[in-house]
Amino acid sequence: MVVSPRYLHGGPSDENFARTTNLDCPTKVYCFGGIQEVNFFHEYRKGVDWVFVDHPCYHRPGNPYGDIYGPFGDNQFRFTLLCHAACEAPLVLPLGGFTYGQKCLFLANDWHAGLVPILLAAKYRPNGIYKDARSVIVIHNIAHQGVEAASTYCNLGLPWEWYGALEWVFPTWARTHALDTGQAVNILKGAIVTADRILTVSQGYSWEITTPEGGYGLNKLLTSRKFVVSGIPNGIDATEWDPSSDEYISSHYTADDLSGKMECKIALQKELGLPIRPDCPLIGFIGRLDYQKGIDILLSAAPALLQDDVQFVMLGSGERQYEEWMRASEAAFRNKYRGWVGFSIPIAHQITAGCDILLMPSRFEPCGLNQQYAMRYGTVPVVHGTGGLRETVNTFNPFAEGEDEEGTGYVSDILPVHIISYL
């Protein structure tokens, strides 16, 4: 069973729920000082029960977490409601004529679902429910922890004696003013304390989060539980990302016949209005425009890089200063640079197929998918050796004796600013 909010944004994505049916099973949960009622929609597809929690707080424009103005102010309410509903779903929903029952394994993703293991420990097991259930908390990015003011603990529907599991105190330097005590609640911390297993999206990241540099304040706690911490790298959809059948690229190709990749490069240059130069190195970047992704490193290195005989293409959105920089760079380097502000699935596929090199100078990267797409499409990833990037990309070795030892890209083990030197 997969449990997710029934996000209705008032756009084309609402069609994703066209085949769902209302289970007509209104369920009441207690949180935020009162009784909240949710409903459930359901679709059975390819052996999976897809369950969607319905409540008015999930019906608004934007993305699951916010809109153009930033994160939604009621996210704690929205995801607290999701967690309570997810715990009730196996008990109350008659899927296929039967409920799932109490013997369940709960796989909770990030802080948004982090209340699930806490609820199992604090609410259900003390009352004899879910005694045989187990939980796994999956950490995709430990920088996001679901931290709110300590006064909001009463909103979570937890017994007061469990406050210590979520208690969080900001260091003095991080407090807003002299009278700020720094007291807060941290949902991800509570999940780490109560979950039976802790999983990250790469083995490298499972180690990095136990270090002061990578743990974002939770490293000591994670170190104390390191015997239950492990990592499994993300995979990719090899059907959607397949250069031999990709619907978004102009020419198909395989590892045995790469002639179509050159056609994809020419098509990308035409699409973006760059000079048609098959022999010119075409460098790409796809990702969020923020500090984590090392976009400021690209910003500082791009002027020198573009003095060489190369073309550079970027796709992404994020901080406004970087979006404006992309627009300004395109005006300054008309024959060498294109910046696509926003996100487009077809263009992402075309850049992956058409570029020779894909840059990923991330300061930290729990796993990363773009480098895996690049290798699938015969595009050389040049990455910073952190997290899942180090784990999935093997540095090219020109002296390798066997094909298995040749490598798949370039990994920089030094400061990410030096990644450009590989070019």
Side-chain angles (χ1 to χ4, degrees):
M1 179 196 300
V2 176
V3 182
S4 170
R6 184 171 178 256
Y7 293 116
L8 296 178
H9 302 307
S13 63
D14 293 356
E15 292 298 317
N16 293 333
F17 302 103
R19 298 181 181 178
T20 62
T21 57
N22 190 337
L23 292 176
D24 195 22
C25 186
T27 301
K28 296 180 179 180
V29 298
Y30 182 85
C31 62
F32 276 75
I35 300 296
Q36 314 294 336
E37 184 174 292
V38 298
N39 212 333
F40 297 95
F41 283 71
H42 173 251
E43 179 181 355
Y44 183 79
R45 184 175 16 145
K46 295 183 178 180
V48 178
D49 286 303
W50 296 83
V51 173
F52 301 99
V53 181
D54 192 48
H55 187 274
C57 69
Y58 304 127
H59 305 168
R60 62 183 66 166
N63 62 53
Y65 315 113
D67 54 21
I68 60 174
Y69 302 105
F72 294 128
D74 61 346
N75 272 345
Q76 189 188 61
F77 172 74
R78 300 167 76 234
F79 294 112
T80 296
L81 198 63
L82 170 65
C83 293
H84 279 271
C87 289
E88 289 293 308
L91 303 175
V92 303
L93 299 184
L95 304 177
F98 302 92
T99 63
Y100 272 54
Q102 298 184 32
K103 294 184 178 180
C104 298
L105 170 64
F106 289 87
L107 193 72
N109 287 285
D110 299 309
W111 80 262
H112 313 87
L115 270 181
V116 168
I118 306 171
L119 288 168
L120 294 178
K123 175 184 175 182
Y124 289 95
R125 287 184 189 133
N127 292 292
I129 304 173
Y130 284 136
K131 290 187 297 182
D132 296 322
R134 296 294 181 265
S135 62
V136 180
I137 180 69
V138 185
I139 302 174
H140 294 83
N141 189 336
I142 202 170
H144 304 288
Q145 301 178 6
V147 179
E148 296 283 355
S151 58
T152 65
Y153 178 81
C154 60
N155 296 333
L156 304 179
L158 297 171
W160 278 108
E161 58 266 27
W162 281 83
Y163 174 78
L166 286 79
E167 184 179 17
W168 182 256
V169 180
F170 281 101
T172 304
W173 62 265
R175 301 175 190 179
T176 55
H177 51 77
L179 299 179
D180 184 357
T181 61
Q183 293 180 320
V185 289
N186 185 321
I187 292 177
L188 184 60
K189 179 207 169 189
I192 292 171
V193 168
T194 54
D196 296 289
R197 292 290 185 272
I198 302 163
L199 184 65
T200 67
V201 289
S202 70
Q203 294 180 18
Y205 195 58
S206 70
W207 171 79
E208 286 182 8
I209 62 175
T210 64
T211 67
E213 296 82 5
Y216 281 78
L218 294 174
N219 50 290
K220 291 183 179 179
L221 174 61
L222 285 160
T223 298
S224 72
R225 300 211 68 201
K226 63 182 180 181
F227 59 94
V228 296
V229 178
S230 57
I232 301 175
N234 279 332
I236 63 174
D237 187 333
T239 301
E240 179 184 358
W241 291 89
D242 184 353
S244 68
S245 60
D246 193 328
E247 62 177 310
Y248 298 116
I249 63 178
S250 60
S251 182
H252 295 147
Y253 59 94
T254 66
D256 297 323
D257 181 7
L258 289 171
S259 58
K261 184 168 177 60
M262 183 62 70
E263 297 300 321
C264 290
K265 180 177 183 178
I266 293 172
L268 179 62
Q269 291 172 328
K270 287 181 179 178
E271 173 72 20
L272 299 178
L274 288 169
I276 309 302
R277 297 188 57 199
D279 60 332
C280 179
L282 182 54
I283 303 168
F285 171 89
I286 303 171
R288 292 195 317 275
L289 307 180
D290 63 19
Y291 180 81
Q292 177 201 337
K293 298 298 183 181
I295 188 65
D296 58 312
I297 297 169
L298 290 181
L299 184 151
S300 61
L305 178 64
L306 291 170
Q307 296 301 317
D308 292 328
D309 188 22
V310 300
Q311 293 177 342
F312 191 15
V313 178
M314 294 180 63
L315 170 67
S317 62
E319 296 183 30
R320 181 165 297 183
Q321 59 176 323
Y322 299 131
E323 293 181 352
E324 293 299 326
W325 169 79
M326 285 171 63
R327 296 186 179 100
S329 296
E330 184 169 313
F333 300 95
R334 290 296 301 169
N335 292 326
K336 291 188 173 185
Y337 178 86
R338 289 293 182 272
W340 186 297
V341 177
F343 188 74
S344 166
I345 292 177
I347 294 298
H349 281 249
Q350 291 166 27
I351 291 176
T352 303
C355 282
D356 301 298
I357 298 168
L358 185 77
L359 288 183
M360 294 187 69
S362 304
R363 283 184 168 81
F364 68 94
E365 193 66 64
C367 181
L369 295 175
N370 287 328
Q371 82 279 10
Q372 299 185 61
Y373 299 148
M375 292 184 287
R376 176 87 166 143
Y377 281 64
T379 300
V380 179
V382 178
V383 306
H384 177 217
T386 182
L389 297 180
R390 179 192 299 274
E391 199 165 311
T392 55
V393 179
N394 297 319
T395 296
F396 174 69
N397 178 10
F399 305 106
E401 296 181 357
E403 291 184 4
D404 295 339
E405 302 174 356
E406 287 183 353
T408 55
Y410 291 92
V411 180
S412 169
D413 290 323
I414 49 181
L415 292 174
V417 70
H418 297 295
I419 197 172
I420 305 302
S421 66
Y422 273 120
L423 300 178

